[in-house]
Amino acid sequence: MPPCTCVAAVAGILLTARTGSGQPVSGSEGLELKAITAAALGGAALKGGKGGIGGTLLAVALLGCLENGLTVEGINTFWQNVAQGTLLVMAVVIQQRRSGERAVGLPH
């Protein structure tokens, strides 16, 4: 069995335990943004290449702290997603600057 299948199985078990339901869409709405943001913040190249698991784990911890902090402050979920999207855009711009590419809409 490929390793990605095992990881997907563990993720499914954890999601089922978290939501208390076996529905395929329960509790998983919006996790795509979190996954992409964590990978980009962790240093994984979005156009292909290598990324480290250490940076991604650190990015997941950062996103968790951000989400918990915003929830404690009573910030609406919409604005929490805006904050995560802003982090994603910043990570992409930083990656483009480091690779020497010109970011769309931004001057050199």
Side-chain angles (χ1 to χ4, degrees):
M1 184 181 305
C4 60
T5 305
C6 294
V7 172
V10 170
I13 291 168
L14 290 175
L15 184 61
T16 301
R18 177 180 169 200
T19 61
S21 174
Q23 300 297 321
V25 293
S26 64
S28 62
E29 185 176 322
L31 292 181
E32 303 86 4
L33 176 63
K34 291 178 186 177
I36 294 169
T37 304
L41 283 175
L46 296 178
K47 290 188 174 182
K50 294 183 179 179
I53 190 148
T56 304
L57 288 175
L58 188 61
V60 167
L62 172 74
L63 286 174
C65 289
L66 175 70
E67 184 177 355
N68 285 337
L70 292 176
T71 301
V72 166
E73 290 296 321
I75 305 297
N76 190 340
T77 308
F78 171 79
W79 294 110
Q80 291 180 16
N81 288 335
V82 168
Q84 288 179 12
T86 303
L87 281 176
L88 177 59
V89 169
M90 288 173 28
V92 169
V93 168
I94 289 170
Q95 279 185 9
Q96 287 181 333
R97 294 280 173 120
R98 282 187 179 171
S99 68
E101 293 180 31
R102 182 177 176 274
V104 177
L106 295 176
H108 267 281

